[in-house]
Amino acid sequence: MLKTYRGTVRALVVGDQGPAVVLCPGLVGSADDYAPVLPAIAAAGFRAIAYDFRGHYDESGHYDESGHYDGSGHYDGSGHYDESGHYDESGHYNGSGHFDESDDFDEPRGGGEAVDERAHSVERHAEDLLAVVEAFAGGEPAHVVGHSLGGFVARAAALREPAKFRSLTMVACGPQMSSERLRATLLSFDEALLTQGAGLMWPVIARILPGNDAERRGLWRRRLDSVRLPFLCGMLRSLAHETDRSTELRRAAYPKMVLHGARDRRLWPHAEMADYAEAAGASHEIVPESGHSPMLERPDETADRLVAFWGEADRQRAERLCLEIVRPRAATDPYPIYAALRATAPVTLLDRPGLGSAVFLTRHADCHRMLNDRTCVAVGEAPEQLPPGWDAGSFRAAALRSFLVREGQAHSPVRSSLARSLGPRRADGYREDAEQITDRLLDEFATRLAEGVVNATEALAVPFASLTTGRMFGLRDDEALRLGELVGAMSWVLEPSSTPRQRAGLEDAGAAMLSELRGRRTGLAGVVHDQHPGDEERGLGDVAMLFGAAHDSPASLISAALRLLLAHPEQAALVRDDPALGDACVAEVLRLDPPVQIAVRVATEPRRYGDVDVPAGTKVHAVLAAANRDPEHTDEPDRFLITRTVRGPSLSFGAGRHYCPGAAVARMQCAVLLTRLLQRFPELRAAGPVRYRAPGTMLRRIDDLPVSLESACVSC
C-alpha cells in the first residue's frame, strides 16, 4: 500500500534507488499488468511503482502487507499468468483458483447500481496520479507511464504539473476518444452498463486480446466481473470527451513517447498513432508480435524500449540542467537545480558545439576525488580549453597567469608560503584586528540602523572584508576600502559568461587594482613577491588575484550567514547564547551556501566517474555547492543546522593542493563578526528580498541584503 495526500492506493514496488518510475493501468487493467516488466526496470537502475486506480475494483488482495511485489508471481517467465492463482468467482483474488474455459459471463453484478460518473474522470484520477508521484518520488520528478486509459490520465497530469515529470509514455493510447466513431462506441455503453453489468464490455475487450490466449482472456473476464460500475461508467463518459491535446504536449519540455503493439490496430491505426506522436513532439515505438498490452505479451522488448527512452530522457534533462547552472544570470536559489542534476545524472558529460566537452560532478565523493587528482589540472594549464578571447585584456591575461589557476612552479611555492603565513596556527594572530574592526563597524552599523533599512552587504560585509584583508596586506584602511570596492567588478574574471559592459568594467577595475598594488611589499604582498624575484609583473598579478580572493569569499560568506541566521532565529539564538558555536555556525553556512559554487579543472588523462568515461582534455566541473548537500555527506542536507554532523570534509574551500591557504583565517574572522553582531542586535530582522550578484555561476554573493530593527519582516 502507498499512502498519498489524496488517499491510499494498492501498488507493486520494485527497486530502492535510482530515478522514480510510476505506472498506471488501463480501463480494465491493474498494477499486475506491469509485473512482467518490473524486474527489468529495477535491474536497469530505476525504482518503480505500479498502482491501481482508487475505486477501480472491489477490495481484494493482490499484494502482500508491505505493498511490495512478493516475487512469488502472478506470471511465469513468458509474461503470462502462471497456474497458481487468479480471481475466484466473486472477482477477488484467492491465490488458488482457476478460470473456466467459457466466454460467458455470470449474471451481471451491480445491476441497477446508482452511478455518479462525475466521481471518476480523467482529471480526477490525474490528481491521484500526481499525489502518487509526490509520495513515491519524494519531491523529485518521475518517469510516468500510462496504459490505455492510464495514458489519458498520465497525459492530463503531465499537462497540469509538468515539473513532476521526467518523461511521459503513453502505451496503446491514441490522440483522442472524441471522434464520432469512438465517442459513439463509448457512450453506447452508458445506460446499458447499469442494467447489464460490466460484462457488456467483453466484446470490446475480446477484440484486442489474442484469441489463443485463454489464460489472459479469462483474467480480463474476471476483472470485468469485479470492476466497480461507478468507475467504469464515469471513466467511459470522461473518455468520450478526450481530445488529442497534441499542441499542448508539444510545448511541454519533458520527453514524450507513444508506444503500442504491432497488432494494436483496433482503436487507432498505426498511421494515426505515428501522426499523433509527431504532432505531440513524441517518439514513436512499435513492439513487434504484441497487441494492446505489449508489457504483458512482450515484456522484455517493452522494458528495453522504456529503459532506453528513460535513459535518453534523463540525459537530455541533465544537459538542460547543466546549461541552467552556467546561466548568464543571477540565481536566487540554484540548489534545486543542483539536487535535480544529482538525482538525474550525478555525472553528466556535456558536449557544447564550439565550447568543447565538459563534465559536471555533483556527488561529494566524486568532487573530492577530482580535487585531489593531480591529473586534473587548473585551467591556466590548459588555456586552449577556454572560450576564445577569454584572456583578451591585460587584467584577464594576468589572471590566467596567476598562481590561483596554475600548477607546479607557478603555483606551489606561492601557495606553500601563504599557507605558512595564514594556516590555523597563525589565525589567532589576526584575531585582534578582526575584533577591533568588528566593533568599529558595528558602531557605524547601529547609527545607520537607527535611520531605517540598511543594506547589510554594503554597510557591513564588504567593509569588514576590505579592512581585514587590508590589514593582512599592510594597507591603510582608506586604501583597503578603496580596493574592496574594486573587487566586486573583478569577480567576473572567473565567470563563464558575462556581458560586454561587465567585461569592460572588469578591465577598468583590474587596471586600477594593479596600479594601486604596484610596488607594494608589505604583509602578504611581500610574501608573494618573494616567490617571484626579478618578475615584477607576475608577482603583481598574483597579489591582485590574492587580494580579490581574500576579500570576496569572506564578504560573500558574511552576507550568506546573516541571511540564514535571520531566516532561522532558533539557530541564531544558539550562537547568541553560546558564542563558542560561532565556528560551527560558519562551517554550516559554508556547507549550505558556499561563496565558491564550482571548481573547474581540465582532465589531462582519461578518467571515469560513476559510469561515465571522461576523455582527456575535458573540462571537469566539481559543483561544490551540490556536493556539500549530498545526502551521502550528511542527513537532512537542505536544513540549516549548526550542530549537525557530516560524514566527510566540506569542500567549500576546495581540497588537495588548491585548498584555500587562508581558510582558517577567513572562518575565524567571520565567526568574530557574526557572534558579536547577534549579541549586539538581537532584534535585527530581514527587511526585504535579497538581490544576488549576476551572473554568480562560480562565485555567489548577495549584493543587497536589506535589514532593520523593525519587527515587520518581508520574505527574503
Side-chain angles (χ1 to χ4, degrees), residues 14-269:
V14 296
D16 56 5
Q17 60 183 355
V21 174
V22 177
L23 309 106
C24 51
L27 183 65
V28 195
S30 76
D32 296 291
D33 292 343
Y34 291 106
V37 300
L38 289 178
I41 290 173
F46 297 88
R47 56 189 181 94
I49 180 171
Y51 77 98
D52 284 351
F53 294 120
R54 290 190 302 133
H56 197 166
Y57 293 104
D58 293 333
E59 290 302 319
S60 59
H62 302 222
Y63 311 95
D64 64 21
E65 291 183 357
S66 69
H68 288 245
Y69 186 55
D70 61 15
S72 62
H74 299 264
Y75 299 89
D76 62 20
S78 67
H80 294 270
Y81 281 84
D82 62 22
E83 298 297 323
S84 65
H86 302 286
Y87 294 88
D88 63 17
E89 293 301 319
S90 68
H92 290 231
Y93 186 67
N94 66 8
S96 60
H98 298 278
F99 296 103
D100 61 31
E101 296 299 320
S102 70
D103 278 354
D104 296 326
F105 274 88
D106 296 334
E107 288 297 313
R109 302 179 187 277
E113 180 180 359
V115 173
D116 180 5
E117 64 271 7
R118 292 171 299 177
H120 295 283
S121 66
V122 169
E123 290 295 332
R124 181 262 189 179
H125 285 283
E127 294 174 358
D128 278 3
L129 169 57
L130 291 170
V132 171
V133 171
E134 180 173 315
F136 182 68
E140 292 294 322
H143 296 293
V144 178
V145 179
H147 173 237
S148 194
L149 162 68
F152 290 110
V153 172
R155 183 181 71 178
L159 291 174
R160 177 179 297 190
E161 294 193 34
K164 290 187 176 181
F165 281 66
R166 290 178 185 264
S167 71
L168 168 66
T169 300
M170 295 177 288
V171 180
C173 176
Q176 60 189 22
M177 298 295 285
S178 58
S179 69
E180 184 176 345
R181 171 178 61 87
L182 291 176
R183 180 178 291 181
T185 300
L186 292 171
L187 294 181
S188 67
F189 291 102
D190 188 27
E191 294 298 329
L193 282 170
L194 299 181
T195 58
Q196 299 180 49
L200 178 67
M201 291 194 64
W202 173 245
V204 176
I205 300 298
R207 283 200 299 270
I208 61 177
L209 295 175
N212 61 353
D213 192 344
E215 188 85 24
R216 192 146 52 88
R217 291 168 73 87
L219 164 68
W220 287 60
R221 285 174 33 239
R222 298 306 182 186
R223 282 182 176 172
L224 282 177
D225 199 32
S226 62
V227 71
R228 295 186 67 246
L229 286 182
F231 175 88
L232 196 56
C233 291
M235 295 307 298
L236 286 171
R237 182 166 288 269
S238 179
L239 283 173
H241 296 88
E242 280 294 308
T243 57
D244 68 26
R245 307 186 74 175
S246 59
T247 300
E248 296 171 80
L249 280 176
R250 175 170 283 279
R251 289 197 296 261
Y254 45 79
K256 300 161 283 286
M257 179 169 69
V258 172
L259 181 147
H260 58 97
R263 297 193 310 270
D264 193 7
R265 302 172 184 269
R266 296 284 186 175
L267 296 176
W268 296 277

Side-chain angles (χ1 to χ4, degrees), residues 305-318:
R305 283 165 169 75
L306 289 172
V307 167
F309 171 63
W310 296 332
E312 177 62 17
D314 280 344
R315 186 191 67 78
Q316 293 178 12
R317 182 168 188 261

Side-chain angles (χ1 to χ4, degrees), residues 354-366:
L355 296 177
S357 59
V359 68
F360 289 77
L361 309 176
T362 51
R363 289 183 297 214
H364 187 277
D366 290 333

Side-chain angles (χ1 to χ4, degrees), residues 290-329:
S290 65
H292 190 66
S293 303
M295 63 281 193
L296 280 170
E297 299 171 64
R298 307 290 292 184
D300 292 341
E301 291 89 338
T302 302
D304 286 346
R305 283 165 169 75
L306 289 172
V307 167
F309 171 63
W310 296 332
E312 177 62 17
D314 280 344
R315 186 191 67 78
Q316 293 178 12
R317 182 168 188 261
E319 287 188 356
R320 290 196 300 271
L321 291 169
C322 289
L323 293 174
E324 182 68 13
I325 287 174
V326 293
R327 66 211 170 276
R329 63 185 186 279

Side-chain angles (χ1 to χ4, degrees), residues 551-629:
H551 176 282
D552 198 69
S553 286
S556 302
L557 178 58
I558 291 166
S559 294
L562 185 52
R563 182 189 71 83
L564 286 167
L565 289 165
L566 294 181
H568 300 84
E570 77 289 351
Q571 299 297 306
L574 292 176
V575 181
R576 184 180 301 113
D577 296 340
D578 183 5
L581 289 174
D583 292 339
C585 175
V586 172
E588 175 66 350
V589 175
L590 282 165
R591 184 199 67 82
L592 193 68
D593 197 9
V596 179
Q597 298 272 292
I598 302 172
V600 182
R601 303 286 189 269
V602 177
T604 59
E605 296 180 8
R607 282 291 178 264
R608 185 173 179 85
Y609 292 94
D611 58 356
V612 177
D613 289 318
V614 178
T618 301
K619 290 190 291 295
V620 185
H621 295 71
V623 187
L624 309 180
N628 285 344
R629 295 195 185 202

